[in-house]
């Protein structure tokens, strides 16, 4: 018994002891996850909450792999994450002075016959390849990589690797494999999920949930405030008409399961059209202005999360009319993004943004978030809410205001609706789950009653929706 306890302590401390550079150290859940991953043959996916330190956990595994003479190949889904990983690797592994070959997002040197030598086994130099999934999926990239047991594959936001454009990455022959995601299962894509889980050999138990992260101190406790908006008469009419067309196509697809690809594509197109009704609902701007007028205080740091540039402009105009100044943050903005964030962190204020929390941009100083953006992808809900809860000096609690647009719908009309298209019930279900972990769980009492109007079994819709990364 004593020997077993000693072995468990030694395993839990194994990776932490190797973190000698800088002041950052592994938290207990990170050490335990890496020990479990190693016990499973160094393959698996870490299902850890957004903001719980997945990147540093993986970098600790990379340090260990470099000590074994392996070559890490890190795959990320976006340019922003490529830059973030590059900075964090150089910082955490500065004592090793790693040579990093960046591939994709404008980095083309790998095409100069560098990729093969960089990934060959048996070199004395510390080499890491950092690539976007889009670039790594190219035939010329995959053929140039020296595959084999010496290659250590790390995939951030691993659910992205299961998309139709990236699936060919799952034939790479490697040694260790480590996937990272708060939500590794792909919404509405059973095949992509299955292939991803098979390649990485499953999820490393146990998951590290949002509740776990808050309890451990990795994330900030929060208050959750739900605001509901109804569609206008014209918006409701559009919603009803599209819904009727969707139901007809779902019935046709159900009666002709062997040849329904055309119906499935039409359903997906109509779902996108219908989701725009929610995204562009007229009532969102007015309620955003009202919330900020009543709640904003000097020194607060508010992030207002909009659907598109049009809505962003309308929100800013409404705030200006109330005498509330705000700053923009989005991919096509003019000016210095980093300077905008620095001013925000130093002085507080209001940032009106688009997809800011989805793209790997971390603004941990945010004290209040106002989420106007609707989504058909359950993953975006998890990411948007989780990122607001990052720890920051002096931030003891966060406040999240969530705006849900509710079309009018009778219980009879919603009964029997295909769960793939019951997006409103799915949104409500996810909000209920998030609200139950808040410091004010009673705030969702009314929402539970509303949820039953849309679905008798709304909890079953938690993961419903579909991927839209392509």
């Amino acid at each position: 018994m004593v020997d077993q306890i000693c072995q468990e302590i030694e395993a839990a401390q194994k990776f932490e002891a190797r973190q000698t550079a800088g002041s950052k150290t592994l938290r207990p859940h990170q050490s335990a996850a890496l020990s479990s991953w190693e016990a499973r043959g160094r393959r698996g996916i870490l299902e850890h909450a957004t903001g719980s330190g997945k990147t540093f956990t993986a970098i600790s595994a990379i340090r260990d792999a470099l000590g074994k003479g392996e070559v890490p190949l890190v795959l990320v889904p976006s340019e922003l994450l490529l830059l973030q990983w590059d900075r964090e690797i150089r910082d955490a592994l500065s004592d090793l002075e790693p040579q990093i070959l960046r591939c994709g997002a404008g980095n083309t040197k790998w095409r100069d016959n560098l990729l093969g030598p960089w990934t060959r086994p048996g070199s004395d130099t510390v080499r890491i390849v950092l690539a976007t999934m889009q670039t790594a999926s190219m035939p010329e990239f995959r053929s140039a990589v020296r595959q084999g047991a010496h290659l250590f594959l790390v995939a951030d936001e691993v659910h992205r690797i299961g998309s139709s454009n990236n699936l060919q990455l799952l034939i790479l022959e490697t040694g260790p494999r480590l996937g990272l995601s708060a939500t590794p299962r792909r919404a509405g894509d059973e095949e992509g999920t299955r292939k991803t889980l098979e390649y990485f050999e499953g999820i490393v138990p146990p998951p590290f949930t949002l509740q776990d992260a808050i309890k451990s101190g990795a994330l900030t406790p929060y208050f959750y405030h739900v605001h509901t908006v109804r569609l206008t008469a014209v918006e409701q009419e559009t919603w009803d008409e599209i819904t009727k067309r969707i139901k007809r196509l779902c019935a046709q697809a159900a009666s002709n399961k062997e040849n329904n690809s055309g119906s499935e594509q039409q359903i997906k197109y109509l779902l996108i059209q219908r989701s725009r009704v929610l995204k562009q609902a007229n009532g969102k701007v007015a309620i955003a202005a009202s919330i900020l007028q009543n709640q904003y205080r000097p020194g607060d740091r508010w992030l207002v999360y909009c659907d598109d540039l049009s809505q962003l402009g309308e929100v800013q105009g409404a705030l200006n009319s109330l005498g509330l100044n705000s700053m923009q943050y989005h991919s096509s903005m003019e000016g210095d993004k980093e300077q905008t964030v620095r001013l925000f962190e130093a002085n507080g204020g209001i940032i009106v943004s688009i997809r800011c929390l989805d793209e790997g941009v971390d603004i941990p100083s945010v004290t209040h978030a106002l989420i106007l953006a609707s989504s058909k992808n359950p993953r975006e809900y998890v990411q948007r809410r989780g990122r607001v809860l990052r720890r920051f000096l002096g931030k003891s609690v966060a406040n999240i205001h969530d705006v849900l647009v509710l079309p009018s719908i009778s219980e009879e009309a919603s009964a029997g609706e295909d769960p793939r298209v019951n997006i409103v019930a799915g949104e409500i279900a996810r909000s209920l789950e998030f609200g139950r972990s808040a410091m004010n769980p009673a705030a969702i009492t009314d929402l539970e009653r509303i949820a039953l109007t849309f679905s008798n079994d709304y909890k079953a819709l938690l993961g419903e929706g579909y991927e839209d990364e392509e």
Side-chain angles (χ1 to χ4, degrees):
M1 184 67 174
V2 173
D3 289 342
Q4 181 181 350
I5 294 173
C6 290
Q7 288 172 3
E8 291 176 355
I9 293 174
E10 182 182 357
Q13 295 175 340
K14 181 177 182 180
F15 286 94
E16 186 168 1
R18 293 172 183 162
Q19 304 312 304
T20 57
S23 58
K24 202 169 184 179
T25 58
L26 285 166
R27 290 175 174 267
H29 76 273
Q30 294 170 311
S31 295
L34 288 174
S35 296
S36 296
W37 171 73
E38 187 169 73
R40 292 165 56 92
R42 299 174 72 212
R43 288 193 174 182
I45 295 171
L46 300 186
E47 184 179 357
H48 286 196
T50 298
S52 60
K54 293 188 293 295
T55 302
F56 185 66
T57 304
I59 291 174
S60 300
I62 287 173
R63 175 184 287 274
D64 182 66
L66 292 170
K68 300 176 186 293
E70 296 168 346
V71 180
L73 168 59
V74 182
L75 304 178
V76 299
S78 68
E79 177 180 357
L80 282 169
L81 281 174
L82 184 119
L83 296 174
Q84 179 178 306
W85 269 85
D86 186 77
R87 288 194 301 269
E88 295 204 28
I89 289 173
R90 293 183 190 279
D91 180 50
L93 304 181
S94 59
D95 58 314
L96 301 181
E97 299 181 350
Q99 297 183 29
I100 303 175
L101 179 63
R102 298 195 299 190
C103 313
N107 299 281
T108 59
K109 287 186 177 180
W110 65 273
R111 296 180 180 276
D112 300 332
N113 296 320
L114 289 178
L115 193 54
W118 214 277
T119 55
R120 75 181 189 277
S123 173
D124 292 333
T125 58
V126 176
R127 293 165 289 120
I128 299 172
V129 178
L130 179 57
T132 63
M133 292 180 184
Q134 182 182 15
T135 296
S137 296
M138 295 178 177
E140 55 266 42
F141 183 99
R142 289 182 286 116
S143 63
V145 170
R146 298 286 184 89
Q147 302 180 41
H150 69 286
L151 200 63
F152 173 28
L153 179 67
V154 178
D156 193 14
E157 305 294 352
V158 70
H159 49 270
R160 298 282 191 181
I161 213 170
S163 73
S164 57
N165 289 342
N166 295 330
L167 275 175
Q168 50 268 53
L169 290 170
L170 301 182
I171 63 174
L172 283 174
E173 295 180 10
T174 74
R177 296 170 187 167
L178 178 62
L180 310 170
S181 180
T183 50
R185 294 171 180 83
R186 293 175 55 78
D189 183 7
E190 292 183 6
E191 182 181 9
T193 297
R194 177 182 59 79
K195 289 182 176 180
T196 302
L197 293 177
E198 286 179 354
Y199 182 76
F200 285 88
E201 300 186 13
I203 295 171
V204 178
F208 191 68
T209 66
L210 180 73
Q211 293 85 350
D212 294 331
I214 293 172
K215 186 176 180 180
S216 72
L219 294 180
T220 307
Y222 63 95
F223 287 97
Y224 190 51
H225 315 275
V226 179
H227 310 265
T228 58
V229 174
R230 290 291 179 177
L231 296 177
T232 65
V234 173
E235 291 167 345
Q236 183 66 51
E237 186 178 349
T238 303
W239 173 275
D240 291 340
E241 177 57 32
I242 297 174
T243 298
K244 289 177 184 177
R245 295 169 63 188
I246 290 172
K247 286 191 172 183
R248 282 199 301 268
L249 286 169
C250 285
Q252 292 173 13
S255 63
N256 188 15
K257 294 182 179 180
E258 294 182 0
N259 187 23
N260 63 2
S261 58
S263 295
E264 292 287 347
Q265 286 301 112
Q266 290 181 65
I267 291 169
K268 188 170 184 178
Y269 172 75
L270 288 173
L271 286 171
I272 293 171
Q273 294 295 107
R274 192 175 66 167
S275 71
R276 286 176 182 162
V277 178
L278 300 183
K279 287 177 180 291
Q280 299 168 5
N282 186 60
K284 284 185 176 181
V285 175
I287 198 168
S290 175
I291 291 168
L292 282 158
Q293 183 181 31
N294 293 323
Q295 300 290 330
Y296 175 74
R297 300 290 182 272
D300 287 350
R301 293 170 176 83
W302 281 73
L303 180 63
V304 183
Y305 202 100
C306 298
D307 269 309
D308 54 31
L309 282 172
S310 175
Q311 188 179 84
L312 183 149
E314 291 179 17
V315 170
Q316 272 204 305
L319 295 180
N320 288 339
S321 68
L322 296 172
L324 295 173
N325 295 323
S326 60
M327 300 174 281
Q328 292 189 11
Y329 190 104
H330 53 85
S331 59
S332 57
M333 66 180 281
E334 296 181 0
D336 190 332
K337 293 182 187 178
E338 292 187 3
Q339 178 66 12
T340 297
V341 174
R342 284 196 293 269
L343 286 172
F344 178 75
E345 292 186 328
N347 304 320
I350 303 169
I351 284 183
V352 187
S353 70
I354 303 169
R355 299 190 71 84
C356 177
L357 301 179
D358 294 348
E359 298 182 335
V361 177
D362 292 331
I363 310 179
S365 61
V366 172
T367 58
H368 296 71
L370 171 52
I371 302 176
L372 301 179
S374 301
S375 175
K376 55 193 171 295
N377 187 341
R379 178 171 301 106
E380 292 179 354
Y381 276 84
V382 175
Q383 291 177 335
R384 288 168 184 167
R385 289 158 177 78
R387 289 191 181 280
V388 177
L389 306 182
R390 291 184 183 273
R391 306 293 304 193
F392 190 76
L393 182 65
K395 175 180 168 183
S396 59
V397 66
N399 281 272
I400 298 178
H401 293 262
D402 211 347
V403 176
L404 296 180
V405 181
L406 304 178
S408 298
I409 185 168
S410 67
E411 187 172 347
E412 293 77 18
S414 64
E417 184 171 42
D418 189 320
R420 296 170 302 165
V421 303
N422 202 338
I423 303 302
V424 176
E427 290 185 3
I428 295 174
R430 290 186 285 276
S431 293
L432 287 170
E433 286 299 302
F434 194 78
R436 291 189 180 100
S437 299
M439 297 178 70
N440 59 328
I444 61 172
T445 301
D446 290 341
L447 204 56
E448 289 179 321
R449 175 180 52 79
I450 295 170
L452 291 172
T453 303
F454 288 88
S455 173
N456 292 326
D457 189 19
Y458 60 85
K459 292 182 181 179
L461 303 176
L462 272 173
E464 292 296 339
Y466 55 91
E467 302 290 333
D468 59 351
E469 67 262 18
E470 281 113 27

